[in-house]
Amino acid sequence: MKYNFDEICDRKNTDCYKWDLAPHIFGHEDIIPMWVADMDFPAAQPMVYALTQRAEHPFYGYTHPGPTVVDSVVERMKKKFNWQIEPDWIVFTPGVVPALHSAIRSLTHPGDGVILQEPTYHPFFPAITESGCQIVKNNLKLLNGRYYQDYDDLESKFLPQTRLHSPPRIKTILFCNPHNPVGRLWNVDGITQVGEIALDNNMTVISDEIHCELLFKGNKHVPFASISEEFEQNSITCMAPTKTFNIPGIAVSSIIIPNKKLRDGFNEIGSVIVSGPNLFGYTALEAAYRYGDEWLDQVLDYLQGNLDLLMEYIKENIPGIEVIEPQGTYLVWLDCRGLGMGPAELGRFMLDDAKVALEDGFIFGETGNGFMRMNIACPRLILEEALQRIEAAVNKR
Ligand SMILES: Cc1ncc(COP(=O)(O)O)c(C=O)c1O
């Protein structure tokens, strides 16, 4: 089936965050919402069919993930990443964010340190602090329009002389691949360096790979845990079909924990904090993984077209903004420092002058000051309109 992603669908009055909350949060009726991470494209037809079929059976009792649901995750990991996992490694949760909270609590004691790599997905901060832990920053480096991990800095967190000055015992790292918000895909070498530093220092890796199937052309995702058995045994991998297939409101994710001790710890904490996904989550996950690829292939082509347009348009027409070219996700990190505005002023400028709702860079950490994150998963006409609005506002200054 051919999907038409150019079609502008009216999502208003569906209680969606993106369109229905935007006027309240941002204070303008006619704002173009390009903030929260979902796509303005209807979900794949097989998924709609599967959910409708399930809804027509009028029993919505407590439900466990049946064998075909579990197998669909096992098969997906094998098919997409050549990663052979076992069914009992999978724990289903109603989202990656609650799983991050459970994972951190299961690996740490209050006061321990958790590493994150700023700028980073903003719910990582409360996942650490609300678990009573301390944030230890291993910030990314920006060199010539591209972000890199800083392995020397990461290693230095474990040096005895550093420890004297920074008391928390570091137990885990929130590793994000592909990385939100900068769109970087860490390759085997980058993953291996982090994994080895982790092994050398008794640090478990929590690897958030929710965007792993949203890649631009020429990129290939490698799950952290697929590198070696040692990495597998020292990690908690967060996977989900929700970003990939645009069903985040369905709230379902599969957390893959090969190490039984880590898995038991996660389950013990997790079962206290949250229950499993709702039954439609299981239906949607299986339908997406088994029958969603026709849609996904087309959406990835379309997103590539949007990215190409954005890069070209900004380069040609909007001085002061530089696109950090992403390798994955549909979230684009815009370096707006050339506009010469402070962080709050930049956000207000995009809202009040351009009438475009982007995510403020500073919510991803201090290193996000002067940046904005734009969600380009929308019909091309909307993207063009947003770019024209930003261009006009910049020209007017
Ligand atoms: C890196 C990352 N992790 C987790 C999530 C959200 O996961 P969930 O909706 O499953 O809680 C997002 C959403 O944008 C994300 O970018």
Side-chain angles (χ1 to χ4, degrees), residues 11 26 60 64 86-87 105 113 122 155 164 171-172 192 195 254 258 264 294 299 307 315 332 359 366:
R11 294 183 63 192
F26 303 113
Y60 309 127
H64 74 105
E86 299 297 327
R105 282 167 204 227
H122 50 94
E155 261 187 318
L164 280 179
K171 294 290 191 53
T172 183
T192 306
S254 25
D264 288 348
E294 189 183 41
V299 107
L307 178 64
K315 191 164 160 231
V332 185
E359 291 280 20
E366 262 172 46

Side-chain angles (χ1 to χ4, degrees), residues 37 94-98 100 121 124 176 178 180 208 210-211 240 242-243 248 251-253 331 373:
V96 165
V97 171
L100 297 175
Y121 178 52
F124 283 6
C176 191
N180 177 8
D208 181 340
I210 195 169
H211 295 280
T242 46
K243 292 286 153 201
V252 60
S253 46
L331 306 165
R373 192 193 75 177

Side-chain angles (χ1 to χ4, degrees), residues 81-84 209 221-229 231-232 235 237:
F81 312 118
N82 198 26
W83 182 25
Q84 184 65 60
E209 305 185 18
H221 178 79
V222 178
F224 173 87
S226 71
I227 299 266
S228 71
E229 207 182 319
F231 283 19
E232 215 167 57
S235 58
T237 302

Side-chain angles (χ1 to χ4, degrees), residues 263-276:
R263 192 166 64 246
D264 288 348
F266 179 91
N267 279 330
E268 200 180 314
I269 301 274
S271 57
V272 180
I273 301 178
V274 278
S275 61

Side-chain angles (χ1 to χ4, degrees), residues 87-397:
D88 63 2
W89 294 357
I90 307 167
V91 182
F92 290 92
T93 64
V96 165
V97 171
L100 297 175
H101 284 254
S102 301
I104 292 174
R105 282 167 204 227
S106 72
L107 296 169
T108 61
H109 292 106
D112 286 343
V114 178
I115 291 186
L116 50 71
Q117 299 181 310
E118 253 187 55
T120 198
Y121 178 52
H122 50 94
F124 283 6
F125 298 100
I128 298 173
T129 52
E130 284 171 22
S131 304
C133 292
Q134 300 189 42
I135 293 170
V136 180
K137 293 183 185 178
N138 166 232
N139 292 348
L140 301 179
K141 291 184 297 193
L142 177 58
L143 293 174
N144 302 324
R146 202 174 165 93
Y147 279 89
Y148 296 87
Q149 297 187 84
D150 189 340
Y151 310 109
D152 292 338
D153 177 70
L154 182 58
E155 261 187 318
S156 78
K157 307 293 176 207
F158 300 95
L159 294 175
Q161 61 269 35
T162 314
R163 274 210 219 122
L164 280 179
H165 295 102
S166 61
R169 278 194 312 161
I170 296 166
K171 294 290 191 53
T172 183
I173 176 170
L174 288 180
F175 185 65
C176 191
N177 192 26
H179 189 280
N180 177 8
V182 306
R184 257 313 236 127
L185 183 68
W186 308 120
N187 63 16
V188 173
D189 183 49
I191 300 167
T192 306
Q193 297 217 44
V194 171
E196 281 175 356
I197 295 172
L199 283 173
D200 288 346
N201 294 287
N202 297 320
M203 171 174 82
T204 304
V205 176
I206 301 173
S207 190
D208 181 340
E209 305 185 18
I210 195 169
H211 295 280
C212 62
E213 295 200 45
L214 292 167
L215 303 180
F216 293 108
K217 287 205 171 74
N219 292 295
K220 186 173 170 305
H221 178 79
V222 178
F224 173 87
S226 71
I227 299 266
S228 71
E229 207 182 319
E230 278 181 302
F231 283 19
E232 215 167 57
Q233 290 299 314
N234 191 38
S235 58
I236 293 179
T237 302
C238 303
M239 294 283 187
T242 46
K243 292 286 153 201
T244 312
F245 295 97
N246 197 29
I247 50 170
I250 297 254
V252 60
S253 46
S254 25
I255 311 306
I256 303 171
I257 316 176
N259 181 317
K260 183 168 181 326
K261 202 166 150 222
L262 295 183
R263 192 166 64 246
D264 288 348
F266 179 91
N267 279 330
E268 200 180 314
I269 301 274
S271 57
V272 180
I273 301 178
V274 278
S275 61
N278 84 48
L279 64 94
F280 292 106
Y282 296 127
T283 304
L285 174 143
E286 181 171 0
Y289 280 164
R290 292 196 189 285
Y291 311 114
D293 279 336
E294 189 183 41
W295 180 93
L296 179 59
D297 289 345
Q298 293 177 43
V299 107
L300 290 176
D301 269 355
Y302 195 84
L303 291 172
Q304 181 72 55
N306 276 5
L307 178 64
D308 294 345
L309 167 88
L310 172 99
M311 304 240 318
E312 178 78 17
Y313 193 99
I314 291 187
K315 191 164 160 231
E316 296 294 319
N317 305 295
I318 316 186
I321 300 185
E322 276 185 37
V323 180
I324 305 293
E325 186 176 354
Q327 295 161 296
T329 84
Y330 47 74
L331 306 165
V332 185
W333 191 234
L334 301 175
D335 183 348
C336 304
R337 289 174 300 174
L339 295 176
M341 298 181 206
E345 192 192 353
L346 177 61
R348 288 261 49 103
F349 168 78
M350 290 295 177
L351 290 176
D352 298 341
D353 297 4
K355 300 276 189 328
V356 175
L358 311 178
E359 291 280 20
D360 285 308
F362 60 78
I363 66 171
F364 301 92
E366 262 172 46
T367 54
N369 284 350
F371 292 77
M372 300 293 290
R373 192 193 75 177
M374 178 187 260
N375 176 347
I376 61 164
C378 59
R380 205 152 292 157
L381 267 180
I382 295 188
L383 176 62
E384 281 169 355
E385 165 79 21
L387 290 168
Q388 284 160 12
R389 288 187 185 193
I390 296 171
E391 180 190 4
V394 168
N395 286 340
K396 242 193 187 164
R397 290 177 74 221

